[in-house]
Amino acid sequence: AYRIYFLGMIGQWSTFSMEMVARTYLVYDITGSAAKLGIMSLANAIPTIVFSLVGGAIAYRLAKKYLIIIAQIAMMLASLGYGIAVHTGYLTPAHPESWWVLVAGSAVLGTITAMSMPARQAIINELVRPEHLMNAVSLGTLGMSLFQLIGPATAGFIIDGFGYAVIFYIMAALNASGIIFAA
């Protein structure tokens, strides 16, 4: 069960680090403003901080697997929405007012992260026997750290070579793979 969970987490870890790069570069490309980039970061951080205690309480009371699946679906839809908005030409420098989409998405993703992270951490205890718990936690930490290194570089190369829409579509597909493994 942990192997399947780990494979599903690869999609989540990779998209989490890719998305930060993609959203950050895109909001700066659209606005040219470091202040608006800061606003977008705050829109992500504030819900994460505010709702983390609520997320822990929800993870304690509800089925963790379903919370994780719901979070993956929401992240997939956000990435798909960004990809469509870029692909249709709305989320581009030609529409400088469109940066609000990235700010709203950041707030939604911050909320999703706060609600799902406690479930992601707590489910490991349910998937492995006690004698394997430390190994599972260590492997998860290693995987997350590895994708924090690989994800941003990969996103940068994909954005540079193929554009923003492609990176968002790839992230939606990776989140979809996470949903499949979690189900």
Side-chain angles (χ1 to χ4, degrees), residues 60-150:
Y60 180 73
R61 288 178 175 79
L62 299 177
K64 293 163 195 64
K65 176 181 176 178
Y66 296 114
L67 286 174
I68 292 169
I69 291 171
I70 290 167
Q72 286 290 131
I73 290 170
M75 292 173 75
M76 179 193 68
L77 292 174
S79 295
L80 190 59
Y82 287 150
I84 291 169
V86 171
H87 191 84
T88 60
Y90 178 69
L91 199 54
T92 62
H95 295 279
E97 76 285 353
S98 67
W99 72 281
W100 74 268
V101 173
L102 295 166
V103 173
S106 291
V108 168
L109 291 170
T111 303
I112 292 166
T113 300
M115 299 300 220
S116 66
M117 275 307 189
R120 292 181 195 282
Q121 293 169 348
I123 200 168
I124 295 171
N125 194 38
E126 296 175 8
L127 297 175
V128 298
R129 293 190 306 259
E131 63 268 17
H132 297 294
L133 184 60
M134 290 304 290
N135 289 339
V137 170
S138 297
L139 185 60
T141 302
L142 174 68
M144 187 171 49
S145 298
L146 180 65
F147 282 98
Q148 284 176 340
L149 290 171
I150 295 171

Side-chain angles (χ1 to χ4, degrees), residues 7-8 12 16 19 21 25 48 55 73 97 101 103 107 113 121-122 124-125 129 136 155 159 164 166-167 177 180:
L7 290 173
Q12 193 268 332
F16 188 73
E19 183 187 356
V21 169
Y25 281 133
T48 302
I73 290 170
E97 76 285 353
V101 173
V103 173
T113 300
Q121 293 169 348
I124 295 171
N125 194 38
R129 293 190 306 259
I159 291 166
Y164 290 107
V166 172
I167 190 66
S177 73
I180 292 167

